[in-house]
Amino acid sequence: MKLSRESYYGLQALSYMATCKPGTILQADELAQRTELPSMFLAKILYKLARHGVLRSFRGRERGYTLARGPKDITVREIVEIFEGRDVFERCVFWSNECSDREPCPLHEMWRTVRPAVAALMERISLDQVASG
C-alpha cells in the first residue's frame, strides 16, 4: 500500500499542530515554514482537512487553522481516508482498478486478510501518538 504525498504532508502538518498549545491558530504560510512543507500545496491540504472537520478555519483578523478536536480524538485512519478515499483499505496492493476476485493479482488473497488489520491499526493510532513519536 502506497499513500500519497498529500497524506504524508497532511500528517506532518497535523503532527506539528498537535504539539502546539490547544487552540493555537496557525496560518498556512507559518505552518509551511515551520514544517518545511510547500506552502501552496499545504494550503490546499489544510483546506481539505477543514472541510472534513479535522481542522477549524478562521477568517478575518485571526485567520488560520487550529485542530477541531484534541489530537487523541483524531486517528491516522481518518486522515488517510480524507486524502486517499474511504475505499483505500479495499484496494489492491498493486493496482487501483485492475485487480478483482475474477482477475486477482498474485497477492490478492493474502492482501485480503491483511487489509482489515492495517485499517484497524490505523484506527488505533491517534494523532497524539504520531506527534509524540
Side-chain angles (χ1 to χ4, degrees):
M1 166 188 273
K2 181 178 178 185
L3 302 177
S4 68
R5 188 178 313 228
E6 204 175 12
S7 289
Y8 179 76
Y9 289 170
L11 274 168
Q12 289 284 100
L14 290 169
S15 292
Y16 178 82
M17 294 176 85
T19 66
C20 296
K21 180 181 170 189
T24 300
I25 299 171
L26 296 168
Q27 293 182 3
D29 289 341
E30 177 185 8
L31 185 56
Q33 186 177 20
R34 290 186 184 183
T35 57
E36 299 179 0
L37 297 174
S39 181
M40 294 300 286
F41 193 31
L42 183 59
K44 292 176 185 178
I45 290 168
L46 296 175
Y47 177 77
K48 196 173 210 179
L49 288 165
R51 273 192 8 244
H52 284 87
V54 174
L55 295 178
R56 289 182 54 210
S57 65
F58 297 89
R59 293 184 176 186
R61 192 171 177 188
E62 277 203 71
R63 66 189 170 118
Y65 296 92
T66 189
L67 293 176
R69 292 174 269 138
K72 290 181 181 180
D73 299 323
I74 301 170
T75 68
V76 170
R77 179 177 180 165
E78 178 182 5
I79 298 163
V80 167
E81 286 181 346
I82 288 170
F83 297 111
E84 308 301 330
R86 295 196 58 98
D87 68 338
V88 66
F89 299 106
E90 301 303 318
R91 293 186 212 140
C92 174
V93 69
F94 291 115
W95 320 109
S96 295
N97 300 320
E98 295 179 28
C99 181
S100 67
D101 288 335
R102 267 197 214 140
E103 295 182 42
C105 72
L107 295 178
H108 187 77
E109 290 305 315
M110 288 176 266
W111 186 239
R112 182 192 315 253
T113 61
V114 172
R115 285 189 312 227
V118 173
L121 176 65
M122 288 191 180
E123 182 69 32
R124 285 192 309 269
I125 300 172
S126 70
L127 179 58
D128 187 53
Q129 290 172 292
V130 174
S132 62

